[in-house]
Amino acid sequence: MKKTMMIIALFVVLIVTVSSRSDREYQAAQGFEVPSLELVSAADSSLLDLESLKGQYVVINFWAASDAESRIAAHDFDRFAAKVGTEQLRLLQVNLDRSVRLFREIVRRDGLEAAQQFTVKAPESSRVSKIFNLGAGLQSYLLDPEGKIVAVNPSLETVAKAIAS
């Protein structure tokens, strides 16, 4: 009887452990395929799905007007992408400001390329923030042509080496 109870207890623990892991939200991390993400273009309000960009290197850079470090990174990535061209690299600058008017004003003032600027639909912003671990600070991700994350917060040198190979 004791042995049967022990087996049942172990079985219950195993089921609880497995079920708790299956409900876990996907987290974007190096070595994993990027989760699905639908972005809204700031230039023409069209939708862009990350799946459509497979076959080329992609940098996803999350930024906000209130975060000086991410705003500087947006400027640096913008200038870098202009130098290397869109054939080698697709830059997605994803703004997380709630105010579209503020976002557009910052893009204009900072001289950022509007075609590379995107936002996330309001209902999706909390999911995106959780998946991409943006609560700990705004980050950027380098994706290879297969859609796998090869670097988190890559330097411009890291991006240049990746697209040169």
Side-chain angles (χ1 to χ4, degrees), residues 64-77:
S66 61
D67 184 316
E69 194 173 323
S70 71
R71 199 167 153 187
I72 291 168
H75 183 270
D76 292 344
F77 277 122

Side-chain angles (χ1 to χ4, degrees), residues 91-150:
L91 176 61
L92 307 175
Q93 304 260 39
V94 182
N95 181 271
L96 298 174
D97 290 317
R98 290 187 176 169
S99 168
V100 175
R101 203 160 94 201
L102 172 64
F103 162 57
R104 289 199 171 121
E105 180 61 21
I106 296 298
V107 168
R108 187 187 66 74
R109 281 189 184 188
D110 289 358
L112 299 175
E113 177 62 45
Q116 297 169 345
Q117 302 300 318
F118 296 86
T119 59
V120 178
K121 290 181 178 182
E124 284 285 292
S125 61
S126 63
R127 182 182 81 85
V128 167
S129 183
K130 186 175 181 181
I131 288 173
F132 287 94
N133 195 28
L134 302 177
L138 300 178
Q139 301 189 56
S140 55
Y141 296 85
L142 173 60
L143 313 179
D144 69 8
E146 286 80 43
K148 292 203 185 302
I149 299 170
V150 293

Side-chain angles (χ1 to χ4, degrees), residues 24-54:
R24 190 182 306 166
E25 181 79 33
Y26 180 85
Q27 292 273 322
Q30 190 168 336
F32 291 94
E33 192 166 321
V34 72
S36 69
L37 181 61
E38 194 172 76
L39 303 172
V40 180
S41 170
D44 61 8
S45 298
S46 64
L47 296 178
L48 174 72
D49 188 348
L50 283 182
E51 285 289 316
S52 68
L53 299 178
K54 284 193 175 179

